[in-house]
Amino acid sequence: MSFGKKDISKNISSKALISNDESKEFFGNFLNLVTSKSKSRIVKISGFGTFYTKNTPQRLGRNPKTKEEYVISKRSKLFFKSSNKIRNIIN
């Protein structure tokens, strides 16, 4: 089972007893804050996890259908490492 932004905002609105629009705005602002701050440094949320960026080098990719090779440019990716608390809940 997977959760999308809409599902998460519905859960926030029901648990916090706020409107769905307010929870969408709250969740959107949270995601924007995490993505913007994690570009320059590590964002650590105690008891939840750590967001950080990694730079991936340029590499060679291949289309599996046509076997055509192409260059994938270097890019910056956002990663999340969950805390032990969250890992224990999930597992």
Side-chain angles (χ1 to χ4, degrees), residues 2-13 20-21 23-32 35:
S2 63
F3 283 103
K5 282 183 177 181
K6 190 183 285 186
D7 301 322
I8 294 171
S9 66
K10 281 182 185 179
N11 284 336
I12 291 171
S13 67
N20 200 16
D21 290 335
S23 66
K24 280 182 186 176
E25 184 179 344
F26 170 77
F27 188 58
N29 289 338
F30 171 75
L31 291 177
N32 289 335
T35 53

Side-chain angles (χ1 to χ4, degrees), residues 9-86:
S9 66
K10 281 182 185 179
N11 284 336
I12 291 171
S13 67
S14 67
K15 301 275 185 191
L17 301 175
I18 58 175
S19 72
N20 200 16
D21 290 335
E22 288 175 325
S23 66
K24 280 182 186 176
E25 184 179 344
F26 170 77
F27 188 58
N29 289 338
F30 171 75
L31 291 177
N32 289 335
L33 178 72
V34 167
T35 53
S36 66
K37 295 295 180 186
S38 64
K39 287 180 182 177
S40 60
R41 58 184 163 192
I42 295 173
V43 176
K44 187 173 189 177
I45 302 172
S46 182
F48 184 69
T50 306
F51 294 91
Y52 59 96
T53 56
K54 275 188 184 177
N55 293 323
T56 58
Q58 182 176 332
R59 60 193 169 95
L60 191 62
R62 187 177 301 117
N63 183 335
K65 201 173 207 177
T66 63
K67 308 293 187 213
E68 180 183 346
E69 292 184 344
Y70 57 95
V71 176
I72 300 172
S73 62
K74 65 178 184 177
R75 48 189 81 194
S76 178
K77 292 184 179 181
L78 181 64
F79 287 89
F80 173 71
K81 183 177 180 185
S82 62
S83 69
N84 288 333
K85 216 183 250 187
I86 297 294

